[in-house]
Amino acid sequence: MNDPWLGLQHAADRDISLLSAALLIAKDEYPDLQPAAYEERIASYAAQLSADFSSAGSETAQLSRLNGFLFGELGFAGDERNYFDPRNSYLNDVLDRRLGNPISLAVIQISVAQKLGLALEGVSFPGHFLVRLPVEEGIVVLDPFHRGRTLDLNELRRRARSELSAREVDDQRLAHLLEPASHRAIIARMLRNLKAGYEERGAWDKAVRCADRLVTLDPLSLAELRERGNLYVKLGHLRAAREDFRRYLALAPQADDAEAVLNQLIACSGPSPRIN
């Protein structure tokens, strides 16, 4: 299959390389990017840690060493000043600048850990993306945006309540929120973050590129289909917008927002608006 994005669409999740897929996102912005060079950099990080991991007494000790290396010695950090800077979502930029957003830093953390046999997993938590490590006593949850800091139950509940506008988050709901994210879901969240950054800047052509990748990853996602249609409208690509709205209605004629989508479709069928 020539198109690697179609390859991701059809791949089983266990066959998706998180690192390779994240670099594939970057290749859209940097067509001349050589992913192998960045994969080798991740491999070199793992090689530098290999001896320390072998002598560490436990998985939590290995995790502490990993965090000390990435966030201490190498200086990876969350970009708090320009959170939505698109460079924070492109893994090559994150590796070069050592600045990123929660999910891009998590991908680096997970990728190095995997090469060392440490079962670090991503968590698509509300608000900031997190990582988790299953241990005998349960799980350790970390915040890669804040130097891999460990989060206790009270802080996790507080964050969940804040993001979900909920008065209380019980054990069952919190456990659900802390389930490991699939590789496909992680890549989709990276694309949504990137799309949000471009929308904030009014870069509709690049935002629609992200939306297109999201639809390719999951052609049955109604939310992504409608969102791509909305972005096509902003670009003045009304024919493409109509196709997305028609497909949305064909897939979900009884959707709660079907009438609103129909109205969008009708609006796109009129005279083309002037785009300044």
Side-chain angles (χ1 to χ4, degrees), residues 178-246:
L178 291 171
E179 285 293 313
S182 69
H183 286 184
R184 181 176 275 102
I186 293 172
I187 294 305
R189 185 158 170 169
M190 289 186 79
L191 285 165
R192 291 189 194 99
N193 284 348
L194 188 55
K195 178 162 64 71
Y198 282 133
E199 287 174 332
E200 186 180 70
R201 288 162 171 73
W204 307 119
D205 55 338
K206 294 186 177 184
V208 82
R209 182 179 70 197
C210 298
D212 187 59
R213 296 311 193 192
L214 284 161
V215 172
T216 300
L217 275 180
D218 185 1
L220 298 180
S221 173
L222 298 178
E224 304 301 351
L225 197 60
R226 181 175 182 179
E227 176 63 15
R228 188 175 68 175
N230 290 335
L231 290 168
Y232 277 137
V233 170
K234 291 183 182 294
L235 281 170
H237 296 171
L238 299 189
R239 180 177 178 180
R242 288 195 299 269
E243 290 175 1
D244 277 351
F245 295 147
R246 286 193 185 107

Side-chain angles (χ1 to χ4, degrees), residues 124-186:
S124 199
F125 203 75
H128 280 189
F129 194 87
L130 305 174
V131 298
R132 50 172 267 171
L133 177 68
V135 294
E136 286 187 11
E137 301 81 11
I139 58 172
V140 178
V141 182
L142 311 168
D143 181 354
F145 193 68
H146 293 104
R147 301 171 63 86
R149 184 168 64 85
T150 302
L151 305 178
D152 62 22
L153 281 174
N154 288 334
E155 182 163 3
L156 289 166
R157 290 187 198 282
R158 179 184 60 76
R159 289 189 182 198
R161 285 197 301 267
S162 175
E163 292 295 333
L164 300 174
S165 300
R167 296 187 63 181
E168 191 50 67
V169 176
D170 61 24
D171 290 347
Q172 184 176 1
R173 190 173 191 187
L174 186 61
H176 176 70
L177 293 174
L178 291 171
E179 285 293 313
S182 69
H183 286 184
R184 181 176 275 102
I186 293 172

